[in-house]
């Protein structure tokens, strides 16, 4: 079963974010707090949205996503920040069910893009996305500013 997250899910979402960060070999980077998640997901104007996959009443996985906007298309799209299914629930169809939910939201609302990134070493996920017919965007280079370089660009040292 796929359902939208509720405020009661925040502790479990935080746990799964940490599990995902550990799987991606970046546990030290996952510093989000439950308070931050609650604010991001359930404020008057949410910054992000979560859908939960359940199996026999147990949380099996989640996807966290937010809206994008295409200047070329003139419409919103969905950017999937995280898709995570707990190891004991993999192969049970939860990942595809979560992605179908987001694709359905795109179709229902007229969104024309559904995008995400995957680590280049994550072969199981790459195979999963390739099987869906997703098209790799190899011509685009991903950039990120964080920490000191971000503060320096903003003109705020330290």
């Amino acid at each position: 079963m796929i359902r939208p997250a509720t405020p009661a899910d925040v502790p479990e979402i935080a746990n799964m974010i940490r599990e995902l960060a550990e799987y991606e070999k970046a546990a030290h980077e996952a510093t989000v707090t439950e308070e931050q998640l609650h604010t991001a997901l359930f404020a008057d104007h949410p910054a992000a949205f979560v859908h939960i996959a359940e199996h026999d009443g147990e949380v099996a996985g989640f996807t966290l996503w937010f809206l994008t906007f295409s200047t070329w298309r003139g419409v919103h799209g969905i950017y999937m920040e995280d898709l995570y299914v707990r190891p004991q629930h993999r192969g049970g169809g939860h990942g595809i069910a979560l992605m179908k939910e987001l694709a359905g939201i795109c179709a229902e609302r007229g969104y024309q893009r559904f995008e995400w990134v995957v680590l280049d070493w994550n072969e199981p996920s790459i195979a999963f996305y390739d099987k869906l017919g997703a098209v790799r965007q190899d011509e685009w280079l991903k950039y990120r500013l964080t920490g000191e370089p971000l503060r320096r660009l903003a003109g705020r040292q330290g």
Side-chain angles (χ1 to χ4, degrees):
M1 175 178 90
I2 305 301
R3 63 173 177 78
T6 68
D9 293 312
V10 168
E12 199 68 32
I13 295 166
N15 286 336
M16 288 187 290
I17 289 170
R18 286 188 283 280
E19 291 170 25
L20 174 60
E22 187 172 315
Y23 172 77
E24 292 184 347
K25 302 174 176 94
H28 62 284
E29 293 182 40
T31 61
V32 68
T33 66
E34 290 181 18
E35 182 180 342
Q36 288 172 312
L37 277 174
H38 188 276
T39 299
L41 300 174
F42 300 106
D44 288 340
H45 301 285
F49 307 90
V50 168
H51 280 79
I52 300 286
E54 286 186 333
H55 181 77
D56 292 334
E58 182 180 339
V59 175
F62 81 107
T63 185
L64 185 145
W65 58 279
F66 54 87
L67 294 178
T68 61
F69 185 81
S70 169
T71 56
W72 290 12
R73 303 270 180 144
V75 296
H76 283 292
I78 284 179
Y79 185 87
M80 182 173 65
E81 177 70 17
D82 290 327
L83 173 65
Y84 178 71
V85 176
R86 289 183 157 143
Q88 66 270 31
H89 294 288
R90 292 182 187 152
H94 303 294
I96 189 71
L98 287 163
M99 291 196 70
K100 282 182 177 182
E101 181 71 20
L102 298 189
I105 291 169
C106 287
E108 168 184 304
R109 298 180 187 178
Y111 301 165
Q112 295 183 15
R113 289 184 179 167
F114 177 13
E115 301 174 299
W116 62 90
V117 297
V118 61
L119 291 165
D120 62 1
W121 56 261
N122 191 343
E123 290 299 326
S125 293
I126 291 169
F128 172 70
Y129 298 138
D130 286 346
K131 185 176 170 185
L132 294 176
V135 178
R136 294 183 197 192
Q137 301 291 299
D138 294 334
E139 69 274 14
W140 294 92
L141 299 176
K142 182 179 174 181
Y143 281 84
R144 177 181 291 164
L145 276 173
T146 187
E148 185 55 34
L150 177 60
R151 288 188 293 275
R152 189 171 45 251
L153 182 62
R156 297 184 176 113
Q157 300 297 319

